[in-house]
Amino acid sequence: MPHSSALLVIDMQNTLVAIAHRAPETVAVIAGLRDRARAAGVPVVTIQHRGNGMEAGTEGWQIVPELTPGGDEEVVHKTSADSFLDTDLDKTLKALGVTEVVVTGFATEICVDTTARQALSHRYDVVLVADGHTTSVRPDSGDYVAPGRSIAHHNEIYRHIDFPGRKIRVLPASEVDFADPSVLRVGTDPWTPAAP
């Protein structure tokens, strides 16, 4: 099967973006990737979570305006951290001929990580966009690590995951080349997260 990418935009909804670390920067990065994907004819698949505080049709459930899906774009609705579980994501990607997912969105440790790992189990290659995923703002004290550290940690984990038969890359948005996915540049990741 020829190599074919799709951009996944996970849970960039009003309620979640309102509590996100580096929200404006992350939205801008994803919006830029989305524009480039569309210009290159690469499908964009938006994942939209439904749950407590994000009931379907409410303002909080809506995708942020900068990332509102176009009428020709696929939207997948989910109710768990796994965008593949009890959804039509796999069927949608297969129908589009996708072999690789470019993963962005919220939240790094939960829906982004779970979906990226499930994509590998569903036999897709994965590009994790280093500066295109984020997590919640949190207090300096507590059991969670600071958001910038969590993002950097997950980027590093994905640089070292060994998944037989799958290609896994962590790239800043600037190195994602939708015009020619077969030559996505693999190099060092110059993105440095904000200090915790």
Side-chain angles (χ1 to χ4, degrees), residues 118-131:
Q118 286 302 315
L120 293 168
S121 292
H122 282 80
R123 304 191 180 282
Y124 296 98
D125 293 333
V126 168
V127 173
L128 179 64
V129 181
D131 50 349

Side-chain angles (χ1 to χ4, degrees), residues 96-108:
L96 293 167
V98 170
T99 60
E100 174 182 76
V101 291
V102 179
V103 180
T104 67
F106 182 95
T108 297

